[in-house]
Structure formats: C-alpha cells, structure tokens
Amino acid sequence: MGKIGRNHPCPCGSGKKYKHCCLPAERVGAAPQSAASQMKVSLLTTIEKLQGRAALKKASFHELGVFLFYSDAAGDAWMLEATESDAVQIAQAGEALEVPIDENPETIEINFSHTFALKNRELVLTAYSDKSEITLTHAPSQQIHAAIRRLHKRYPQEMLAQMHVTEGELSDA
C-alpha cells in the first residue's frame, strides 16, 4: 500500500481526513477504529447530547451524515434517518429513552419504530407496529426539509431513489 497523505481521506472509510482520524492513533501505537465503530461512537455521543438538551427542554437540531436529530421545548427528541425515512424517539418529556442500537464488527443496526414524511410543512410519523399516524407539530420541519434538500445534492441518485420524500414534497414544504 502506498503512503497516505495527511490530507487524504482516511482509508478506514470514515470520510474524515487521515490526520483527523486514524493518524493520531497510529502515532501512539493504538489500533485504528473501524468506520462502523467510529459511527457508533458518533451516534451515541450525538444521542446523549440531544437527550441532555431534551432534559433541559431546549430546542436543538443536529445533522450527522444521513442522520437528523432534534429536540423540542417539550423535552421530546427524535432521531431521523433520511435515506430510508426511518425515525425513533430518543427522549420523551425530558426523560432519555433507551435507543435500540445493535452492532456487530461490520454494521450498526438501529431498530427504528416509525417512518416519517413531510406533509403540509409538518412532520408525520407512521408507526411500524400498528400503522398509526401522528403529526409532530413542534418538529423543526423547515430544518428537516432543508437538511433533506442538502442530502439530495450530496448523495448519488441511486441512494436517493430509496428516500420516501419526493422532490415534489420538498418543493411544497
């Protein structure tokens, strides 16, 4: 294998520059983390931060790759996955909820409870269990809409074909 430049993408697949990812660990002799392991750490860290914001009943919004996170003034927080339009609640009324994340060395699996869609400028969730729908009126729909538009520009068309939010829904929101 050729020499990896400090400013080249890290070979672990994290998407970060080598100097900000595995290079520091290699310099101290530690084994680099896998991309899946790094993503789990990032996901769990972001989830904990949002749960903390929800406990304080502070509204916030955060993006991490295809994951969107938000908390509202009522103390509710949700994690949304944009490519499959999946959602799971991570805090309710200021109380942190257990997030169903399973991992193996190759993948991270999140057991989502709902799908989501933007309809009439509101976030609508459909439960996997009984297909019931709820509208989250306090959701930051405009920020979610803008984040999905950015994803449409950032990711290949074949990945976007999997998304449940169509271009028509994006232009209406």
Side-chain angles (χ1 to χ4, degrees):
M1 183 169 141
K3 184 176 177 183
I4 302 166
R6 293 173 38 80
N7 290 319
H8 286 100
C10 190
C12 76
S14 68
K16 297 178 184 178
K17 288 184 178 183
Y18 180 58
K19 67 182 178 184
H20 295 299
C21 191
C22 292
L23 179 61
E26 288 179 15
R27 284 186 174 165
V28 296
Q33 288 185 315
S34 69
S37 177
Q38 289 175 355
M39 178 55 83
K40 182 177 183 196
V41 169
S42 296
L43 277 174
L44 293 176
T45 300
T46 304
I47 288 167
E48 288 172 3
K49 285 180 184 177
L50 259 288
Q51 288 173 329
R53 300 285 294 174
L56 298 172
K57 301 197 176 186
K58 297 207 177 219
S60 64
F61 183 83
H62 185 75
E63 295 177 48
L64 179 64
V66 297
F67 296 99
L68 310 175
F69 302 84
Y70 82 88
S71 61
D72 63 26
D76 293 337
W78 287 82
M79 178 172 72
L80 311 174
E81 197 278 336
T83 60
E84 296 288 332
S85 295
D86 287 321
V88 65
Q89 192 167 16
I90 59 176
Q92 184 175 23
E95 295 294 322
L97 301 174
E98 185 176 339
V99 182
I101 296 178
D102 297 322
E103 75 163 325
N104 66 47
E106 302 288 318
T107 62
I108 297 169
E109 184 177 313
I110 302 165
N111 296 318
F112 290 99
S113 57
H114 295 77
T115 62
F116 76 90
L118 293 171
K119 297 179 183 175
N120 300 320
R121 300 179 187 214
E122 293 184 315
L123 182 65
V124 178
L125 299 173
T126 304
Y128 278 119
S129 61
D130 61 4
K131 304 297 182 215
S132 62
E133 279 191 6
I134 56 171
T135 301
L136 299 180
T137 56
H138 298 297
S141 298
Q142 288 181 330
Q143 287 178 294
I144 294 168
H145 171 263
I148 291 172
R149 286 189 65 93
R150 283 190 295 278
L151 290 171
H152 270 267
K153 291 178 183 176
R154 192 179 308 150
Y155 290 97
Q157 194 60 38
E158 50 279 355
M159 179 183 269
L160 297 175
Q162 298 175 12
M163 296 179 83
H164 297 267
V165 180
T166 65
E167 281 295 333
E169 288 174 327
L170 287 175
S171 60
D172 292 340

